[in-house]
Amino acid sequence: MATTRRRPTRLPRLTRLAPLAGTAAAAAVLVAGCGGSSAPRAAGATTDAKAAAVQLLAALLPTTDGLRSVTCGPLDFVLTYRCVVETRAAALVCGARAGTTEKPYCVAEAANAAESARRAALVATALRRANGSGRLAKIVTDVRKGGFTVGCLLGFLTVDGGRAQSDDVVVEILPVQVESGRSFWEQFSVRAGTGAIGVDKGFDPGKKAGLNGYAGCTLDEQGQVAVKGEPRDSALLPSAPAA
C-alpha cells in the first residue's frame, strides 16, 4: 500500500511591530482599541481636541488609577482645551494648553464648579467698581469721539509666566481706527479686596500683562462695561497665593 505523506502544518505568519515612539503613541494604541474594551478612551469636539485628549490621556496614564476616558471640548480664545477626565472614583476637569507638553492642571469636578462660581463673583464685583469709578467710561467715550471702534476683553491677571492666576480682574480695551489703521490697548486692573484700579496702555501687544481670558465684554454708549456672551471656564489655571 502506498504511504500518504502528511504536509507540515503552516503556522500563521507573525508581523513584527516597530516599537512605539513616546507616550502619545502608546495612548493612541489604547484609543484604537488595543488592550481590550476596558482601555481608556479619548474623544474630542474637533480633530484637534481629540488630539489634545490623546495627549492628555498619555500624560495621565502613569499616575491616574481607574482611568476610563478623556473628553476635550473645542479650543477657546486663550488656546486651552477644557477636558473632562472620568475615573472609577471621580470626574476631573483639566485645562490642556495647546502646543505644550507641560503637565496639565486638573481638579475635581465639584471643586472646578465652586472655583468658577467664585471667579464669576469676582468679575461682577470688579465691573461694578470699574463702572463706578468713571475712569473707564471717560476713556471709552473720548476714543470713540476720535473715530475709534473699541473692542473689549475680560480676564484674570496671570503670574509665573501664565502658569497661575491672581484674583485681580482686568478689563482690556482695544481701540482701532479703521480709516488710518491706528490701534492701541489699555488695561484696567481691578485689585481684589481693595478695588483699586491700575491703568496701563501701549501700542505693542507684547507689552500687555498676561491674562487668563474670562469672556468678551460690551461697552454701551456711556462706556459702561458688561460681560458679553457665555463666560469660559475661568478655573482652568491654578490660583496664585494671595499677595
Side-chain angles (χ1 to χ4, degrees):
M1 177 183 291
T3 303
T4 303
R5 298 181 59 187
R6 295 184 61 188
R7 284 183 159 182
T9 302
R10 296 187 64 183
L11 297 176
R13 189 170 63 183
L14 299 178
T15 303
R16 184 181 297 275
L17 296 177
L20 293 175
T23 54
V29 170
L30 289 175
V31 174
C34 296
S37 59
S38 62
R41 303 179 307 277
T46 64
T47 300
D48 289 341
K50 172 84 176 279
V54 170
Q55 183 177 356
L56 180 56
L57 175 59
L60 295 176
L61 269 174
T63 58
T64 307
D65 293 331
L67 186 56
R68 290 178 171 172
S69 67
V70 176
T71 305
C72 293
L75 191 67
D76 67 31
F77 60 87
V78 289
L79 303 183
T80 302
Y81 297 95
R82 184 184 191 276
C83 304
V84 177
V85 177
E86 296 286 347
T87 73
R88 282 195 304 266
L92 304 175
V93 176
C94 302
R97 302 298 294 270
T100 180
T101 57
E102 289 185 1
K103 183 179 179 180
Y105 174 66
C106 299
V107 294
E109 200 168 36
N112 174 262
E115 177 66 359
S116 294
R118 188 184 76 85
R119 290 193 170 273
L122 288 174
V123 171
T125 298
L127 294 190
R128 286 195 297 270
R129 289 170 174 165
N131 287 330
S133 74
R135 296 173 68 184
L136 174 61
K138 184 177 189 311
I139 290 176
V140 170
T141 53
D142 285 349
V143 297
R144 281 174 172 168
K145 289 176 183 177
F148 286 83
T149 299
V150 186
C152 185
L153 177 68
L154 296 174
F156 291 94
L157 191 67
T158 57
V159 296
D160 191 22
R163 295 179 181 85
Q165 61 183 333
S166 71
D167 286 353
D168 297 347
V169 177
V170 177
V171 182
E172 181 176 290
I173 63 169
L174 304 163
V176 177
Q177 195 175 55
V178 178
E179 292 80 4
S180 65
R182 293 173 57 204
S183 65
F184 61 96
W185 55 266
E186 295 202 29
Q187 291 181 321
F188 296 78
S189 301
V190 184
R191 291 294 301 271
T194 66
I197 299 176
V199 181
D200 197 10
K201 60 184 177 180
F203 296 94
D204 182 358
K207 301 293 186 181
K208 294 189 296 184
L211 300 183
N212 182 28
Y214 176 75
C217 44
T218 59
L219 297 160
D220 67 14
E221 292 183 0
Q222 288 73 42
Q224 297 284 290
V225 61
V227 175
K228 178 183 180 181
E230 183 69 23
R232 66 182 289 270
D233 187 345
S234 58
L236 294 179
L237 274 184
S239 294

